[in-house]
Amino acid sequence: MNSRRDFLQKIAASALVMPLMPLAGWAARVNHYDGPVLKVAIMGLGSYGNRVAEAMKACVKAKLTGVISGTPAKIKDWQGRFGIPEKNCYNYDNFDQVKNNPDIDAVYITTPNALHHDQVIRIAAAGKQVICEKPMAVNAKEAQEMIDACKKAGVQLLVGYRMHFEPKTLEIIRMRNNGEFGKIMFFQGQCGFRIGDPTQWRLNKQLACGGAMMDIGIYAVNGARYMVGEEPVWVTAQETKTDPVKFKPGVDETIQFQLGFPGGAVASCLSTYNMNNLDRFFLNGEKGFAELWPSTGYGPIKGRTNKGELTQPHVTHQTVQMEEMAGILLEGKQPTVAVNGEEALKDLKIIDGIYQAAKTGQKVNLHL
Ligand code: NAD
């Protein structure tokens, strides 16, 4: 794991042990909450699954009640750490049986990208709500199939877009909607890190179904949309590869891409697995600007606008995300920026366009 990720993980880990609000206030809230609780099973007990599970300890409206894993030793470990009973533990062969388990309302899928499609469809068929990590699918066709399967089964499909609940990000969106930056003209999104271990699934075409774009570039794709506040209508892209041994055919190392928006704004973005210190968003309008740097790491997110520093408090992203997703699934809450399958489909249509534009050198029109 690269040093940036290590650093961000240390900060996030220390944030997990700090209360999200003064202890007395938090305890009072927990004690007084008697509303519905979303009972969640996590599928794929890897690095991110662990982070979500730890963050959920601080949730009031969401609780980890089950696990799905192919590794019995991990299941034992999680049972001990989170108090999960044997009857709520499944493997990849028998997890369709969650259908009959009233202790599980939703399954949160945190497995490698290529597996999301079939796993989402199986969970939907079992009649449970689905939360899936990004990238939800590996292309727009798969994303549409997943949306259709969830609709058919009458379950909701949410995607782990944790930045859609991040306070400084939401403040910029509020200011933009309020006209405080004037007409939006330009967005810059730089997302990347130097990836380590060449044997990891993120560099395996079959499991990752791409490279940096699927993993980290997607933050610039998604960020361009929620920062500009419009859907792009065209994309151009250029790929460079300095290390064809580490980044095999079909695994992108570095892609620059540009998006055009209907109001005239343009975005210029960079996605890479081969440079550190890239986690920055910049939005420019006729009357002002906003910068987030870091913009999408685990935090603390930092930012400023032409009016000064952004001072919203740091939160553990996954705690707030799960709290808000419980509100969406149990109470029909509407988030400021959508986190559903349709939102992910738009990102995947753009990513399909980026890969096509990089391959052909042509401008690709987008129909989101
Ligand atoms: P990871 O390798 O740490 O964990 C993946 C887990 O899936 C492992 O426990 C592994 O055993 C399991 N798995 C099941 N079937 C597998 C198979 N056939 N091959 C390999 N592993 C298999 O990866 P991670 O970093 O936890 O990423 C998992 C997902 O979460 C990815 O889709 C990634 O994009 C996403 N993610 C999101 C964020 C975020 O901030 N939203 C951060 C990290 C990862």
Side-chain angles (χ1 to χ4, degrees), residues 28-106:
R29 191 171 158 220
V30 173
N31 289 340
H32 287 120
Y33 184 74
D34 56 5
V37 172
L38 185 74
K39 293 169 278 178
V40 181
I42 292 185
M43 179 187 308
L45 311 183
S47 156
Y48 200 66
N50 262 279
R51 183 176 290 277
V52 171
E54 289 292 340
M56 275 174 64
K57 285 179 177 170
C59 286
V60 173
K61 293 186 181 177
K63 183 175 164 43
L64 179 67
T65 56
V67 288
I68 300 165
S69 168
T71 315
K74 280 194 207 167
I75 293 182
K76 270 263 151 330
D77 173 50
W78 278 55
Q79 284 191 269
R81 283 165 56 207
F82 301 105
I84 296 166
E86 196 68 34
K87 65 181 173 59
N88 295 354
C89 299
Y90 298 88
N91 60 41
Y92 291 107
D93 295 324
N94 68 12
F95 74 74
D96 310 85
Q97 292 168 22
V98 292
K99 186 183 173 75
N100 307 313
N101 192 332
D103 288 351
I104 295 170
D105 302 319

Side-chain angles (χ1 to χ4, degrees), residues 1 5 9 43-52 68-71 74 92 108-116 119 132-136 160-162 200-202 207 214-216 218-219 296-298 317-318 321:
M1 181 144 300
R5 280 257 158 121
Q9 286 191 350
M43 179 187 308
L45 311 183
S47 156
Y48 200 66
N50 262 279
R51 183 176 290 277
V52 171
I68 300 165
S69 168
T71 315
K74 280 194 207 167
Y92 291 107
Y108 194 148
I109 297 170
T110 59
T111 54
N113 309 344
L115 310 178
H116 296 173
Q119 290 168 344
C132 181
E133 252 320 308
K134 46 60 52 179
M136 181 181 89
Y161 287 121
R162 59 187 163 75
Q200 63 186 290
W201 68 259
R202 282 182 165 77
L207 286 170
M214 282 291 175
D215 189 35
I216 191 81
I218 192 171
Y219 286 95
T296 67
Y298 298 137
H317 298 174
Q318 295 79 7
Q321 176 199 317

